[in-house]
Amino acid sequence: MAKWGEGDPRWIVEERADATNVNNWHWTERDATNWSSDKLKSLLLGLSVEDEEGTCEVTEVSKLDGEASINNRKGKLIFFYEWNLKATWTGKSKTGVKYKGSIEVPNLSDENDMEDLDISVALNKDEPDTPLVNLMKTKGAEKIREALGSYVEFLKSEFTQGMILPTANGVAKPQSASQSKAKLDKTQVSSGSSTAAPVNAGVKIPTCKFTIKDTFLTSPADLYRVFLNQEMVQAFTRSPATVEGERGGRFRLLEGNVFGEFTELVPDEKIVMKWRFNNWPCEHYATITLMFLDRSSETELKVECRGVPNSEEEQTKGGWKRYYFEAIKQTFGYGARLF
């Protein structure tokens, strides 16, 4: 079973310079194919839509054929990407009937604008007719288009961070974050300066550690199970989720915005996980340790967070309190005071 994390070959960044360009002056090329494959899957898996007929969710990305790269030519970034992707969607009507269908996007390319993408949605041949097909062809296709647009934005901002662009006077300066957010249509970004340190694979970023606590009116065993049971996670997040509740198991929740891997499990006592939010720098995971402390009629949950990017500290604290602590209490009736 493939796992996310450091050392995973899918995350390796390949960068090479032309043989005549030992000083990185005229041309460098960075292969973004593996990074793009993971990013596209993370943006598409779990994507869901709903109306009065039922719900539909992208449950599998079955094919990702293509490539992506970034070239730095004399201080300009030029983006190349071309993808043919196929995915599976699953629908569930309000009466509980399940359906399966397919999605195909044959022309995700730097040569095409987002509005020109062909997004084909169909119901599997052996499935009975259902209005959910129309839901996927309208709202579903629009969400898919937005997700693919986000991929292009991430390619031009997140993945390019740290690329060194030479300037006319020969002084190399890192690309600024604002300049890397190019328009989606065509594909050149000029170099510029930034006071922030570049963020990329192999480059350390400023991080912080902090601890937050909360008390729940339930036993450690019951609270421990909430984090590892897929149905319970889907209940308190109120959205589709994937949770493999075992050591080395992966999780993905909140529409793919939060994902990671369980690295240590001590039943009813401790969970350690590699955890990240989708917009964090590529490859960067925090280490989250959950300690379940028996306090007689209630359980104290102690959450230690290490390696959170400094700029994300407050957002991470607030997210845990709102989307984990408060949501679990409201869903399962474990309400108690917050420290």
Side-chain angles (χ1 to χ4, degrees), residues 263 272-275 280 285-289 304-308:
T263 59
V272 183
M273 65 184 87
K274 289 165 54 177
W275 185 98
W280 285 10
Y285 287 80
T287 298
I288 308 293
T289 302
E304 297 179 350
C305 304
R306 295 176 178 269
V308 174

Side-chain angles (χ1 to χ4, degrees), residues 35 39-40 43 70 79 81 108 114 145-161 175 177 179-185 189:
W35 176 92
K39 180 60 71 173
L40 285 165
L43 290 169
I70 303 172
F79 299 85
Y81 55 92
L108 176 60
M114 279 298 125
R145 193 182 308 275
E146 292 173 0
L148 298 178
S150 296
Y151 155 70
V152 176
E153 290 180 328
F154 281 126
L155 178 66
K156 294 181 178 182
S157 57
E158 178 181 302
F159 188 78
T160 58
Q161 292 181 9
Q175 180 188 18
Q179 288 168 332
S180 65
K181 293 182 179 179
K183 293 186 297 182
L184 296 181
D185 50 359
V189 180

Side-chain angles (χ1 to χ4, degrees), residues 38-93:
D38 283 309
K39 180 60 71 173
L40 285 165
K41 288 179 182 177
S42 73
L43 290 169
L44 291 170
L45 285 174
L47 185 151
S48 62
V49 289
E50 183 177 4
D51 67 5
E52 65 278 1
E53 299 292 341
T55 61
C56 297
E57 177 189 354
V58 178
T59 53
E60 180 186 8
V61 178
S62 55
K63 176 182 177 181
L64 266 177
D65 288 344
E67 59 183 351
S69 63
I70 303 172
N71 291 322
N72 171 5
R73 297 180 182 177
K74 297 182 180 180
K76 294 183 182 294
L77 292 183
I78 304 174
F79 299 85
F80 299 95
Y81 55 92
E82 185 173 6
W83 294 99
N84 179 351
L85 67 90
K86 292 183 179 180
T88 299
W89 63 270
T90 301
K92 186 176 181 180
S93 70

Side-chain angles (χ1 to χ4, degrees), residues 40-339:
L40 285 165
K41 288 179 182 177
S42 73
L43 290 169
L44 291 170
L45 285 174
L47 185 151
S48 62
V49 289
E50 183 177 4
D51 67 5
E52 65 278 1
E53 299 292 341
T55 61
C56 297
E57 177 189 354
V58 178
T59 53
E60 180 186 8
V61 178
S62 55
K63 176 182 177 181
L64 266 177
D65 288 344
E67 59 183 351
S69 63
I70 303 172
N71 291 322
N72 171 5
R73 297 180 182 177
K74 297 182 180 180
K76 294 183 182 294
L77 292 183
I78 304 174
F79 299 85
F80 299 95
Y81 55 92
E82 185 173 6
W83 294 99
N84 179 351
L85 67 90
K86 292 183 179 180
T88 299
W89 63 270
T90 301
K92 186 176 181 180
S93 70
K94 291 294 185 181
T95 59
V97 181
K98 294 183 178 180
Y99 303 86
K100 274 194 174 183
S102 61
I103 303 161
E104 183 171 4
V105 182
N107 62 335
L108 176 60
S109 167
D110 57 274
E111 296 182 355
N112 297 319
D113 295 335
M114 279 298 125
E115 58 266 27
D116 296 330
L117 285 183
D118 295 327
I119 302 177
S120 300
V121 175
L123 187 67
N124 288 353
K125 292 182 179 180
D126 56 346
E127 298 283 352
D129 290 337
T130 171
L132 294 179
V133 178
N134 186 60
L135 172 62
M136 278 301 297
K137 286 184 175 181
T138 53
K139 292 182 180 179
E142 188 58 34
K143 269 205 166 184
I144 292 168
R145 193 182 308 275
E146 292 173 0
L148 298 178
S150 296
Y151 155 70
V152 176
E153 290 180 328
F154 281 126
L155 178 66
K156 294 181 178 182
S157 57
E158 178 181 302
F159 188 78
T160 58
Q161 292 181 9
M163 289 192 76
I164 303 301
L165 303 180
T167 60
N169 61 7
V171 178
K173 296 182 179 180
Q175 180 188 18
S176 69
S178 60
Q179 288 168 332
S180 65
K181 293 182 179 179
K183 293 186 297 182
L184 296 181
D185 50 359
K186 296 291 176 180
T187 59
Q188 290 194 358
V189 180
S190 298
S191 64
S193 63
S194 171
T195 58
V199 178
N200 194 31
V203 179
K204 292 184 178 180
I205 64 173
T207 63
C208 62
K209 60 181 180 179
F210 56 84
T211 299
I212 50 179
K213 301 177 183 179
D214 203 348
T215 301
F216 297 79
L217 295 177
T218 188
S219 67
D222 286 346
L223 187 58
Y224 176 89
R225 188 163 61 95
V226 167
F227 289 89
L228 300 179
N229 182 284
Q230 180 167 301
E231 292 184 356
M232 298 182 80
V233 172
Q234 290 182 146
F236 78 76
T237 60
R238 300 181 183 178
S239 63
T242 299
V243 180
E244 299 170 352
E246 60 185 10
R247 183 177 179 181
R250 296 174 291 178
F251 57 86
R252 183 180 297 272
L253 53 145
L254 295 171
E255 298 186 346
N257 287 309
V258 170
F259 55 92
E261 177 185 328
F262 298 112
T263 59
E264 182 183 355
L265 299 175
V266 180
D268 307 338
E269 295 180 11
K270 183 168 71 171
I271 296 173
V272 183
M273 65 184 87
K274 289 165 54 177
W275 185 98
R276 63 172 275 127
F277 197 74
N278 195 40
N279 66 354
W280 285 10
C282 179
E283 293 190 75
H284 185 80
Y285 287 80
T287 298
I288 308 293
T289 302
L290 310 182
M291 300 293 294
F292 302 84
L293 307 175
D294 193 346
R295 300 291 187 240
S296 186
S297 61
E298 57 190 26
T299 299
E300 179 184 323
L301 176 61
K302 182 179 179 181
V303 180
E304 297 179 350
C305 304
R306 295 176 178 269
V308 174
N310 281 350
S311 60
E312 301 292 329
E313 179 178 0
E314 293 306 315
Q315 180 186 9
T316 304
K317 286 180 179 177
W320 269 88
K321 291 176 180 178
R322 178 179 178 182
Y323 295 107
Y324 283 92
F325 295 174
E326 294 176 12
I328 288 171
K329 289 180 180 182
Q330 292 173 2
T331 303
F332 304 111
Y334 297 161
R337 65 184 178 87
L338 184 68
F339 284 106

